[in-house]
Amino acid sequence: MQTFEPLSNRIYLETPENVRLAFRLAGPGTRLGAYGIDLVVRFTIFYAIAYALSLLQPVTGSGLSTGVFFVLAFLLEWGYGAFFETWWNGQTPGKRALGLRVIKTEGYGIGFYEAMLRNLLRAADFVPFFYAAGFIAAVATPRMQRIGDIVAGTMVVREKRPELKGELAGVFEYEAFPMSEFEHRYRPSEKTLEAIEMLFRRRGELAPARVDEIASVLAEPMIQRLANAERQRRALEMPSEFLFRVLRTARIASTAEAA
Amino acid sequence: MKKVSFLRERKPVWERFDSLLGRAESPGPSKLSQDEVSELSELFRGLCYDLAQIRSREWGSSIERYVNDLVIRGHSVFYGAQPLKRGQIVGFFAREFPRLLRKNHTFFWAAAALFVIPMAVSWTVVASDPSLAHRVLPGSVLYTMEQMYSQDFDALDEEGIGRQDAAMAGFYVRHNTSIAFQCFALGFFIGLGTVYVLLSNGIQLGTIAGYIIAQGHGERFLGFVASHSSFELTAIMVAGSAGLVLGHSIVAPGNLARVESLRVRGLVAVQLALGAAGLLFIAAMIEGFWSPQSLPFSVKVSAAALFWIAVISYLSLAGRARS
């Protein structure tokens, strides 16, 4: 069973284990990029072989090398995508470089026939010029499938291998925040802490003023729960510092509990 | 359980799963021992549970995404397609493909008619009045064709590979395979694309043949094309039938939804197209190695007859049950 979210690149799929998996669909831009890389790879292989054949010609004779050249040209033109997508489980060099993978719409890897089908049908996607039909199909289908994908029952997903990050060491530079200052034993939810963590990780990429601007949105409902008016005023002045102190305190507390 | 202690407990499990998966995913025969396979499937169930727990407790998107992606990879390993074995490839070309084509013979004969009839008509018409060729093809194409067949191929060969002539010859091979595969793919447009490609190529090939023979280069032309045309023209008709199957699955989906019908019969169509690719491969071999040889016309014609007999008996006899 599959569910779609409108205007989202996410697609959800329920497995036989009753787990809902989330897939991130690849958009036309990234796919075009992968196509470009593959084109360069293909031309490089093609000209490398043509050059090698031209060097071998005195040994093999021109008839033989012409024949080999024909066969290789034919195989590269039509076999490149199908070969790599079968052998590398849905990836070509271009897709691998950009972290894309072709999978069945049921969520598992593709086989030879799917790889063949979606690559041969490029000719239909190419109509009337440079993948115009494929682009329209991708925009019109919820799984962003070009014609080859529709017939083969495949979709292209982003496959970033996320790392588990435990690097919040920098947060210890901040002073602990007296959590008793919050009214009614309030504690920020895990979701809020997650948001603060994300901001904390990205603080280096953003201008300090921008960090505070984002922080103030996050911090405001929390600041309202502070009992002390003086604390409220100081937290409003430096919302990012306030958030990071809360983050540190919450994380240390949970580490202490775990230990 | 708090997030941190959960992480501390489960992280080694995830990493173990990751490393087992990495080995299971690598192509070729399975590199896991029997015990490792059962361990992997046990870990997989554990990870499914972890993912559900992370979601319900809202332990944050980064660990959710991490476990989600591990489960996706596991899902792919457990439910994914079986790798292709060499025996299957042989079996496909030796038996399954000719059988499948005979099973879909209506589509084959339709494609053949759409291709051969216009070719025969334009051939006869242009042979009797060569000036009509200019109505079908631009003069530059006709001139190039005539140049190609007005000299012996040995003269062309001396130019060597990587130069103009070889590049042109390579272009023609790629051109023919492109036509065949277009024939298949454009069937997606309710078969009309296939019909168009078959008709227009039938007319063009007939025109070229009629024109060149009328110019007096008939022997050299037929000597060159007769052999590889057996496999090449048949491949185009087979690819055409694949395209018609694809188009028919949309026009007449039967009890299925159109998308489903496409997926089911697309599998038939792609196997036909794959057979066509095999035929084209042989055609390319003949065109590269055999056709350019300068041999007496009689030898070439006899060889061509053998090639035609070979392709016809392969498609009509291979894979039949012995009785």
Side-chain angles (χ1 to χ4, degrees), chain A residues 17 19-24 57 64 69-70 74 77-78 106 109 116-117 160-162 190 194 257, chain B residues 2 44 48 55 58 60-61 66 68-69 71-72 75-76 79 161 174 177 181 263 270 274 289:
Chain A
E17 291 80 15
V19 174
R20 215 166 65 119
L21 295 177
F23 293 91
R24 294 176 296 282
Q57 205 175 304
L64 183 69
F69 183 81
F70 284 164
F74 165 71
E77 177 109 3
W78 291 100
E106 287 82 9
M116 198 75 202
L117 199 45
K160 207 165 62 188
R161 290 272 167 92
E190 190 56 49
E194 177 84 15
E257 261 173 68
Chain B
K2 279 280 178 187
F44 180 60
C48 290
R55 290 227 175 96
E58 297 188 335
S61 60
Y66 176 82
N68 180 70
D69 283 27
V71 175
I72 286 177
H75 182 67
S76 190
Y79 298 100
I161 202 153
R174 301 231 301 282
T177 57
F181 287 141
R263 285 176 61 171
V270 76
L274 199 64
F289 294 105

Side-chain angles (χ1 to χ4, degrees), chain B residues 14-63:
Chain B
W14 299 340
E15 277 158 4
R16 171 75 181 148
F17 185 73
D18 189 16
S19 80
L20 282 179
L21 261 188
R23 281 162 57 202
E25 280 167 346
S26 60
S30 173
K31 288 168 188 75
L32 297 181
S33 71
Q34 207 171 346
D35 287 344
E36 282 172 327
V37 171
S38 54
E39 186 190 348
L40 189 70
S41 89
E42 200 162 309
L43 291 177
F44 180 60
R45 268 170 279 147
L47 257 83
C48 290
Y49 179 69
D50 289 342
L51 183 58
Q53 189 170 10
I54 291 164
R55 290 227 175 96
S56 67
R57 306 230 175 156
E58 297 188 335
W59 271 336
S61 60
S62 77
I63 86 168

Side-chain angles (χ1 to χ4, degrees), chain A residues 3-253:
Chain A
T3 33
F4 306 109
E5 284 175 4
L7 292 181
S8 155
N9 63 349
R10 294 278 172 108
I11 173 164
Y12 297 94
L13 178 71
E14 197 148 319
T15 74
E17 291 80 15
N18 287 321
V19 174
R20 215 166 65 119
L21 295 177
F23 293 91
R24 294 176 296 282
L25 294 168
T30 332
R31 290 174 67 175
L32 191 67
Y35 178 78
I37 295 172
D38 283 328
L39 212 58
V40 172
V41 173
R42 231 171 66 191
F43 272 95
T44 312
I45 298 174
F46 185 77
Y47 282 108
I49 291 173
Y51 182 69
L53 281 175
S54 74
L55 291 183
L56 281 176
Q57 205 175 304
V59 189
T60 58
S62 65
L64 183 69
S65 55
T66 310
V68 174
F69 183 81
F70 284 164
V71 173
L72 284 171
F74 165 71
L75 284 179
L76 262 180
E77 177 109 3
W78 291 100
Y80 176 89
F83 171 80
F84 277 111
E85 284 173 13
T86 309
W87 192 248
W88 279 359
N89 188 14
Q91 290 187 312
T92 57
K95 290 196 177 74
R96 185 172 271 200
L98 296 184
L100 305 183
R101 192 187 286 278
V102 186
I103 59 171
K104 290 285 288 176
T105 48
E106 287 82 9
Y108 48 75
I110 62 169
F112 172 68
Y113 284 133
E114 285 91 6
M116 198 75 202
L117 199 45
R118 69 185 299 282
N119 279 296
L120 286 188
L121 279 160
R122 278 179 196 283
D125 281 301
F126 212 83
V127 167
F129 56 83
F130 200 73
Y131 290 101
F135 181 79
I136 292 168
V139 171
T141 50
R143 296 190 200 93
M144 297 197 205
Q145 295 165 294
R146 61 176 178 80
I147 292 169
D149 290 318
I150 296 172
V151 180
T154 54
M155 58 186 177
V156 184
V157 295
R158 282 167 178 279
E159 192 192 49
K160 207 165 62 188
R161 290 272 167 92
E163 296 293 316
L164 260 192
K165 291 179 213 147
E167 25 65 338
L168 281 175
V171 85
F172 291 103
E173 288 165 20
Y174 290 89
E175 256 178 80
F177 189 84
M179 299 297 261
S180 54
E181 294 274 343
F182 286 116
E183 288 175 332
H184 311 302
R185 297 176 55 83
Y186 165 79
R187 292 289 177 273
S189 69
E190 190 56 49
K191 239 180 178 170
T192 314
L193 287 174
E194 177 84 15
I196 302 173
E197 253 185 65
M198 245 153 79
L199 180 65
F200 183 77
R201 285 208 196 93
R202 290 193 57 197
R203 72 198 185 287
E205 303 161 27
L206 302 166
R210 180 82 184 126
V211 176
D212 269 332
E213 198 184 328
I214 299 168
S216 64
V217 179
L218 261 173
E220 213 188 274
M222 292 166 67
I223 289 172
Q224 280 170 10
R225 296 186 183 253
L226 287 171
N228 185 326
E230 170 62 13
R231 278 238 184 257
Q232 276 192 350
R233 194 185 55 76
R234 276 177 46 202
L236 274 173
E237 264 172 27
M238 304 177 78
S240 60
E241 196 191 316
F242 163 72
L243 284 184
F244 297 153
R245 286 180 66 187
V246 170
L247 177 68
R248 181 222 157 125
T249 319
R251 285 297 186 232
I252 290 176

